[in-house]
Amino acid sequence: GNSVTQMEGPVTLSEEAFLTINCTYTATGYPSLFWYVQYPGEGLQLLLKATKADDKGSNKGFEATYRKETTSFHLEKGSVQVSDSAVYFCALRRGWVRGSTLGRLYFGRGTQLTVWP
Amino acid sequence: NAGVTQTPKFRVLKTGQSMTLLCAQDMNHEYMYWYRQDPGMGLRLIHYSVGEGTTAKGEVPDGYNVSRLKKQNFLLGLESAAPSQTSVYFCASNSGGGPSGELFFGEGSRLTVL
């Protein structure tokens, strides 16, 4: 089946610390991988994505590399800010199968990040 | 640019009451989804639609019904609310095609069932 496992939070860091949030996946075919972010009181928004092995997605200083050999897509940022405090969700979209609901995403449980000044 | 709009944003129900959540998108997307978000559970798919007039069950469909009479609207109904349906509900949409299409979310609807 298709599933995503991400590290459980909460994660608490000081400003300018290095961030890693681990994400591993199980999928059929060749999935696309995503990180979504949810700021307090808001819906989810796409942070970055990667559609094939060895691709690196990046945005707002965050990066994640699609590692097919380890089935991982870990989120990293070199220097976090207070404004990065949010819940982060790893997600996958499975590879195309004829007749499938191509648009559907499978989400991890989310990791709460709190950054202190 | 509105994107995905959900109404109402907050609602309190008594057990056994019914209600409908409305989701509207103005991006001409084919695919629409209803998720529920519970602490420690992430997002779980309730129902989805791959086009006007179509609906399908997701992971947790029991106790909910949906309709997609117009392409831009996706309604989620609770016929007889239960306390277990207390949650935050998110609607989302995308074009569905291709491996990298972004999913666009509404701001959520917080439902409390007493």
Side-chain angles (χ1 to χ4, degrees):
Chain A
N2 301 284
S3 66
V4 174
T5 302
Q6 60 182 105
M7 65 183 285
E8 295 195 13
V11 174
T12 304
L13 295 173
S14 298
E15 207 165 26
E16 300 184 1
F18 184 84
L19 168 71
T20 299
I21 300 178
N22 291 337
C23 172
T24 58
Y25 67 89
T26 302
T28 54
Y30 300 94
S32 298
L33 300 173
F34 305 82
W35 277 100
Y36 279 80
V37 59
Q38 183 181 27
Y39 297 104
E42 299 183 9
L44 281 71
Q45 18 181 308
L46 179 65
L47 179 59
L48 54 83
K49 64 185 179 186
T51 59
K52 61 183 186 296
D54 299 325
D55 268 2
K56 177 185 284 189
S58 62
N59 186 25
K60 299 181 180 180
F62 290 89
E63 293 183 339
T65 301
Y66 187 163
R67 303 283 189 200
K68 190 170 186 294
E69 64 276 14
T70 55
T71 62
S72 65
F73 193 54
H74 304 323
L75 182 68
E76 296 182 337
K77 186 174 186 182
S79 177
V80 293
Q81 305 300 312
V82 173
S83 57
D84 294 327
S85 298
V87 181
Y88 293 82
F89 291 92
C90 186
L92 73 82
R93 172 179 293 134
R94 62 186 177 186
W96 186 84
V97 175
R98 186 178 297 278
S100 74
T101 53
L102 183 62
R104 177 177 172 176
L105 290 180
Y106 296 81
F107 287 89
R109 294 188 172 189
T111 302
Q112 171 76 53
L113 169 66
T114 302
V115 181
W116 296 99
Chain B
N1 48 346
V4 179
T5 303
Q6 295 180 226
T7 52
K9 289 189 170 38
F10 301 93
R11 184 75 187 268
V12 178
L13 290 177
K14 294 182 180 178
T15 297
Q17 288 185 318
S18 64
M19 75 158 294
T20 300
L21 296 176
L22 170 63
C23 176
Q25 53 94 3
D26 61 2
M27 296 172 283
N28 201 36
H29 285 162
E30 289 293 333
Y31 288 55
M32 296 187 74
Y33 312 80
W34 276 107
Y35 288 90
R36 60 177 289 174
Q37 183 182 29
D38 303 291
M41 299 295 290
L43 274 76
R44 292 182 292 171
L45 183 64
I46 305 171
H47 286 281
Y48 61 94
S49 168
V50 300
E52 181 178 319
T54 74
T55 63
K57 294 180 180 180
E59 303 167 66
V60 288
D62 294 342
Y64 305 94
N65 56 76
V66 288
S67 64
R68 183 100 181 266
L69 298 180
K70 294 183 178 180
K71 185 177 183 180
Q72 64 267 34
N73 295 338
F74 194 32
L75 279 64
L76 177 71
L78 286 71
E79 290 186 348
S80 179
S84 61
Q85 294 177 302
T86 294
S87 187
V88 181
Y89 292 86
F90 286 98
C91 177
S93 71
N94 65 1
S95 59
S100 62
E102 179 178 351
L103 202 61
F104 293 84
F105 283 84
E107 293 184 347
S109 298
R110 183 175 294 276
L111 174 66
T112 301
V113 182
L114 303 176

